[in-house]
Amino acid sequence: MDVLNTLRETFLDWGAMRAALPDLLRVGLVNTLILALSSAVIGTLLGMLLAVAGLSPRRWLRWPARVWTDIFRGLPAAVTILLIGVGLAPVGLKIWGPNPYPLGILALSLIASAYIGEIFRSGIQSVDHGQLEAARALGFSRPSGMLLVVIPQGVRRVLPALVNQFIALIKDSSLVYFLGLLATQRDLFRIGQDAAANSGNQSALLLAGLLYLVITVPLTHVVNAVDRRLREGRRADGALAGGLDEDPLPATVAVPQEVR
């Protein structure tokens, strides 16, 4: 019973949770979402450029993209955040003052771009090469064929993986506290950690963890639902194509407009 009481006092102090909840919701949750969403948008744009460059037949585009990807995928996230946050601090001081927040977003964006670039690259490569050849036969140039035909199909196939990467960004945003954020810029983890240190128990930190779960668990189910819908759609398309192959239409029969 003493062990149970100790665990309850350490992790389930409702008073400590109530005291920390306003800051967690008003400051921590907002900053966590800002960090994750901002880095996801920038990382997605950079990742698409990396994917296209990595698939380019030109070495001067392909090799730098591969080096970029290897570096930011190989380094631990904490090391990247510290290198950028501390190394570029003098530059940031001249541009926006003593505010490490943008450098945290930049570091997370660079990390995300390496992973998202590989996700996009695998999705683009999974599209049948005949799609690009068909686009070229219709008069598209290679860049326009990639942009209008191949890339949209590849992105559709990797949507679940992109959502998984966004979940990882939400969790990695907790590492930005290494840069010494201002009181109004603290994320869920930092507020929970500070409250736990002040109260002498881990209840506030546990509550911060629960708020992370409130964000990430629904997104996980969204990923599963999207992936299931996409797989069902591909099976339906395959069944339709198989049926047409087994019972082909005569060449002289006009195809109705809705079938086309």
Side-chain angles (χ1 to χ4, degrees):
M1 293 299 295
D2 291 339
V3 174
L4 294 178
N5 288 332
T6 300
L7 291 175
R8 181 181 59 79
E9 293 174 357
T10 301
F11 295 104
L12 297 175
D13 187 332
W14 305 115
M17 287 185 176
R18 284 195 299 270
L21 184 60
D23 283 342
L24 285 171
L25 294 177
R26 186 176 61 252
V27 179
L29 181 60
V30 172
N31 286 324
T32 294
L33 292 177
I34 289 175
L35 285 169
L37 289 173
S38 300
S39 56
V41 172
I42 299 173
T44 299
L45 295 176
L46 292 176
M48 180 58 72
L49 294 177
L50 286 173
V52 174
L55 295 172
S56 173
R58 297 178 176 84
R59 292 183 180 179
W60 63 273
L61 285 175
R62 188 172 65 251
W63 286 7
R66 296 305 308 163
V67 171
W68 177 296
T69 301
D70 290 341
I71 289 176
F72 287 106
R73 288 182 70 195
L75 286 175
V79 173
T80 301
I81 291 171
L82 283 174
L83 286 175
I84 293 175
V86 176
L88 297 181
V91 178
L93 188 63
K94 295 180 180 179
I95 298 176
W96 51 71
N99 182 1
Y101 207 68
L103 292 177
I105 293 176
L106 174 62
L108 290 174
S109 300
L110 297 179
I111 296 169
S113 69
Y115 289 95
I116 293 175
E118 284 297 282
I119 292 172
F120 279 142
R121 188 170 69 88
S122 64
I124 293 171
Q125 287 181 320
S126 70
V127 178
D128 189 86
H129 187 67
Q131 297 286 327
L132 181 58
E133 296 300 324
R136 297 291 300 275
L138 292 174
F140 288 90
S141 64
R142 177 183 172 83
S144 61
M146 289 289 294
L147 180 63
L148 299 176
V149 178
V150 178
I151 290 178
Q153 296 183 61
V155 171
R156 178 178 179 271
R157 297 182 180 188
V158 298
L159 281 177
L162 288 176
V163 179
N164 278 329
Q165 184 58 39
F166 179 63
I167 293 173
L169 275 175
I170 293 174
K171 295 184 290 185
D172 286 345
S173 66
S174 63
L175 299 174
V176 177
Y177 87 95
F178 289 143
L179 304 182
L181 298 175
L182 302 176
T184 57
Q185 298 173 335
R186 295 177 300 168
D187 63 327
L188 286 172
F189 169 72
R190 185 61 179 177
I191 291 178
Q193 185 189 45
D194 289 345
N198 292 333
S199 63
N201 63 64
Q202 305 301 312
S203 300
L205 189 57
L206 175 63
L207 181 58
L210 293 176
L211 290 176
Y212 277 112
L213 292 178
V214 168
I215 302 172
T216 57
V217 171
L219 285 176
T220 303
H221 290 290
V222 169
V223 171
N224 295 334
V226 170
D227 185 50
R228 184 168 57 252
R229 289 290 299 274
L230 292 177
R231 285 188 282 108
E232 290 174 354
R234 286 196 291 267
R235 285 199 297 268
D237 292 342
L240 179 59
L244 290 175
D245 291 339
E246 294 172 2
D247 187 19
L249 292 172
T252 58
V253 176
V255 180
Q257 183 67 31
E258 59 270 20
V259 175
R260 295 178 188 171

